[in-house]
């Protein structure tokens, strides 16, 4: 059956760009979100998140009528679930958003539909989703019971796009597609081939789930290695940036960059899903998480030691976002460091963040000021580089000659 209508459940950082790209290929896309404000914003042709060029695509597909948002699920050929999978107490995955999405679409699914889980999920989540759908709609048949002949096809196809490059990567990245049966995978490939230029590779649902977790854990472990090296180098009085540059000249070495910790809602979360499934086996993966989570406290300690040497420490913190050149403060180690420093009364705290217009409440409360780098260079005596924004990389490094500098990103 031809795919004409796609419903995307969850219009956040992944769902909205995916909905917009599919709509731009001429399909009818119904975006569903529980947030009425987000739905209204999208229906006005505007966006409620920041992602380069997304506003242009959304405006265009809303104007042509290819994308429409609603809070109430409607019938469609394909349902794509792109809701958050955070962790709860004890770092165990919280599948309640996926379960809620299943309950929401269950009344409108019909024979011949394909349901795709795009949310990053622990191994077994797609099977659980299939179970929830079956429970809610026992009148339909499912691939876990009858295989390829099922009324409803179900597959996991994890998103793998990099925030800041979402529109490019949605199209250019290869996709791992794990159906509960072969026919499920094949139907999902048909959909993805309408907008993906990368290869669509078929596997089973459990392997697809684990592939996504593995990618992010691999990155987390590599960053933990770099962060550990940075602390070793501080102790041994070696410049870690030069060290990594040199080691990376080896044809089979590729060490990532140390930083103030690992932020965002993916790399700092997903490895825990593996640890939760296999606590006894996932030793390196767990340790990487602990190492990266401890790095902000190491930086705070460094700042405190430097501040102790000043009568009136004025500390300029460069960057608040979780990584360079975005406006996203969620799970940001930089923000965590600035919050802790301001709570500890280490000195006067200034924040320099070119990607936001006002400070979050947690910093306003503590009298942290948002100022320009130029002004900070006039009044601050300590500089803490927390994010490698392009504006910071471009600045004349000689301006910092008379300042105390703690550079977590190797910018200065
Ligand atoms: N970081 C470092 N050093 C590095 C690289 C990153 O400290 O060398 C830090 C960043 O500053 C940031 C954190 O790690 O705080 C995560 O940033 P990131 O750019 O590594 O990743 P995300 O979270 O923006 O996106 C990741 C991507 N995964 C991989 O590259 C394997 C993306 O492709 C995934 O789609 C995304 O997670 C996701 O949604 O899971």
């Amino acid at each position: 059956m031809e795919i004409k209508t796609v419903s995307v459940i969850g219009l956040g950082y992944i769902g909205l760009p995916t909905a917009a790209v599919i709509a731009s290929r001429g399909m009818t896309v119904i975006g569903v979100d529980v947030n009425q404000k987000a739905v209204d914003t999208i229906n006005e042709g505007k966006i409620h998140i920041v992602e380069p060029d997304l506003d242009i695509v959304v405006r265009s597909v809303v104007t042509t009528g290819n994308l429409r948002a609603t809070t109430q699920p409607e019938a469609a050929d394909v349902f794509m679930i792109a809701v958050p999978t955070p962790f709860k107490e004890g770092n165990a995955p919280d599948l309640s958003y996926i379960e809620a999405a299943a309950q929401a679409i269950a009344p409108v699914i019909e024979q011949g539909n394909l349901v795709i889980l795009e949310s990053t999920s622990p191994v077994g989540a797609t099977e659980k989703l299939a179970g929830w759908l079956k429970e809610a709609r026992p009148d339909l048949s499912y691939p876990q019971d009858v295989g390829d002949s099922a009324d409803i096809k179900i597959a996991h196809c994890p998103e793998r796009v990099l925030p800041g490059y979402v529109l490019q990567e949605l199209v250019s990245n290869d996709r791992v597609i794990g159906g509960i049966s072969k026919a499920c995978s094949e139907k999902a490939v048909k959909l993805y081939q309408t907008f993906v230029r990368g290869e669509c590779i078929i596997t089973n649902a459990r392997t697809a789930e684990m592939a996504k977790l593995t990618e992010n854990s691999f990155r987390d472990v590599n960053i933990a290695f770099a962060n550990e090296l940075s602390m070793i180098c501080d102790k041994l009085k070696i410049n870690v940036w030069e060290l990594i540059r040199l080691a990376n000249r080896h044809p089979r070495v590729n060490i990532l960059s140390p930083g103030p910790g690992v932020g965002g809602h993916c790399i700092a979360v997903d490895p825990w899903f593996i640890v939760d499934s296999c606590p006894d086996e996932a030793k390196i993966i767990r340790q990487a998480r602990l190492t990266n989570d401890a790095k902000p406290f190491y930086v705070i300690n460094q700042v405190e030691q430097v501040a102790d040497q000043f009568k009136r420490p004025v500390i300029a913190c460069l960057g608040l976002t979780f990584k360079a050149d975005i406006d996203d403060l969620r799970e940001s180690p930089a923000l965590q460091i600035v919050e802790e420093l301001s709570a500890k009364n280490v000195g006067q705290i200034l924040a320099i963040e070119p990607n936001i217009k006002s400070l979050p409440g947690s910093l306003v409360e503590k009298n942290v000021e948002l100022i320009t780098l130029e002004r900070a260079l006039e009044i601050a005596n300590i500089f803490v580089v927390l994010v490698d924004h392009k504006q910071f990389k471009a600045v004349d490094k000689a301006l910092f000659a008379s300042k105390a500098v703690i550079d977590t990103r190797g910018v200065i």
Side-chain angles (χ1 to χ4, degrees):
M1 205 205 297
E2 207 196 331
I3 299 169
K4 288 196 186 120
T5 315
V6 176
S7 178
V8 178
I9 318 297
L11 297 172
Y13 281 83
I14 301 302
L16 182 56
T18 307
V21 167
I22 297 175
S24 73
R25 296 295 187 273
M27 273 178 269
T28 299
V29 180
I30 305 160
V32 182
D33 202 288
V34 289
N35 178 349
Q36 181 72 54
K37 222 171 134 203
V39 164
D40 294 342
T41 306
I42 294 162
N43 284 333
E44 284 166 24
K46 297 185 193 139
I47 60 175
H48 60 297
I49 53 173
V50 174
E51 182 59 40
D53 301 330
L54 180 61
D55 53 341
I56 301 168
V57 187
V58 169
R59 196 185 319 129
S60 134
V61 292
V62 169
T63 309
T64 58
N66 287 84
L67 173 65
R68 173 168 62 79
T70 166
T71 54
Q72 289 306 317
E74 296 171 19
D77 300 317
V78 178
F79 292 87
M80 276 181 139
I81 300 176
V83 296
T85 37
F87 53 56
K88 46 188 185 192
E89 202 74 13
N91 296 326
D94 174 2
L95 299 185
S96 59
Y97 294 89
I98 299 180
E99 188 173 359
Q103 305 298 355
I105 63 169
V108 295
I109 55 172
E110 292 162 6
Q111 184 191 14
N113 280 172
L114 165 67
V115 179
I116 297 174
L117 179 61
E118 279 232 0
S119 314
T120 304
S121 299
V123 174
T126 311
E127 289 158 7
K128 281 202 174 123
L129 166 66
W132 288 321
L133 289 173
K134 180 180 162 181
E135 225 174 85
R137 287 292 303 276
D139 55 311
L140 296 162
S141 67
Y142 295 86
Q144 65 270 35
D145 299 326
V146 300
D148 283 348
S149 65
D151 291 336
I152 304 294
K153 308 273 186 284
I154 301 169
H156 180 53
C157 180
E159 63 80 13
R160 301 154 103 190
V161 289
L162 193 67
Y165 299 87
V166 169
L167 288 178
Q168 292 97 298
E169 292 208 351
L170 258 177
V171 175
S172 62
N173 286 3
D174 292 342
R175 298 298 299 238
V176 174
I177 295 176
I180 290 194
S181 76
K182 193 161 162 265
C184 297
S185 303
E186 282 165 358
K187 180 143 192 187
V189 168
K190 272 209 184 103
L191 171 71
Y192 284 100
Q193 277 176 342
T194 61
F195 67 96
V196 170
R197 247 191 289 116
E199 214 178 307
C200 294
I201 306 144
I202 289 182
T203 179
N204 59 39
R206 293 175 77 84
T207 310
E209 288 161 344
M210 189 61 183
K212 169 63 195 260
L213 302 180
T214 301
E215 291 157 16
N216 280 356
S217 299
F218 173 81
R219 198 157 166 84
D220 197 45
V221 169
N222 194 329
I223 298 168
F225 181 70
N227 277 333
E228 187 166 300
L229 277 180
S230 76
M231 295 184 279
I232 292 170
C233 284
D234 283 348
K235 203 161 185 181
L236 299 180
K237 300 198 177 355
I238 290 169
N239 178 328
V240 70
W241 306 99
E242 184 191 2
L243 172 85
I244 291 177
R245 245 190 335 267
L246 295 176
N248 281 350
R249 300 291 287 256
H250 186 286
R252 283 173 296 283
V253 174
N254 186 12
I255 306 165
L256 290 175
S257 307
V262 166
H265 17 276
C266 310
I267 301 213
V269 175
D270 304 351
W272 286 121
F273 294 180
I274 302 181
V275 177
D276 183 68
S277 304
C278 299
D280 294 334
E281 293 77 14
K283 293 195 178 71
I284 295 176
I285 296 171
R286 180 206 309 268
Q287 186 53 50
R289 278 287 65 246
L290 298 176
T291 300
N292 287 334
D293 276 354
K295 191 71 195 289
F297 299 99
Y298 177 83
V299 176
I300 290 163
N301 192 266
Q302 279 182 312
V303 178
E304 283 179 306
Q305 284 184 17
V306 172
D308 268 351
Q309 298 161 20
F310 287 81
K311 232 202 211 132
R312 280 197 61 250
V314 180
I315 307 166
C317 299
L318 274 56
L320 294 175
T321 58
F322 88 81
K323 65 177 186 175
D325 307 323
I326 56 167
D327 72 333
D328 196 340
L329 298 175
R330 290 180 299 169
E331 318 295 331
S332 167
L335 179 62
Q336 184 191 351
I337 289 167
V338 179
E339 279 170 350
E340 293 269 338
L341 287 174
S342 55
K344 284 177 155 215
N345 282 325
V346 180
Q348 186 187 346
I349 309 286
L350 309 170
I352 297 97
E353 179 42 82
N355 298 297
I356 60 171
K357 292 197 179 70
S358 58
L359 286 178
S362 60
L363 296 187
V364 176
E365 256 167 42
K366 298 277 186 238
N367 298 322
V368 175
E369 268 180 83
L370 182 66
I371 64 165
T372 63
L373 182 55
E374 290 69 34
R375 178 79 186 123
L377 282 161
E378 287 165 17
I379 60 176
N381 39 30
I382 302 171
F383 282 75
V384 189
V385 184
L386 297 170
V387 188
D388 46 343
H389 288 314
K390 59 178 188 284
Q391 292 90 340
F392 304 154
K393 287 193 201 153
V395 85
D396 177 7
K397 308 301 179 293
L399 296 171
F400 296 92
S402 63
K403 312 286 186 187
V405 175
I406 296 155
D407 185 1
T408 71
R409 298 277 189 181
V411 168
I412 295 170

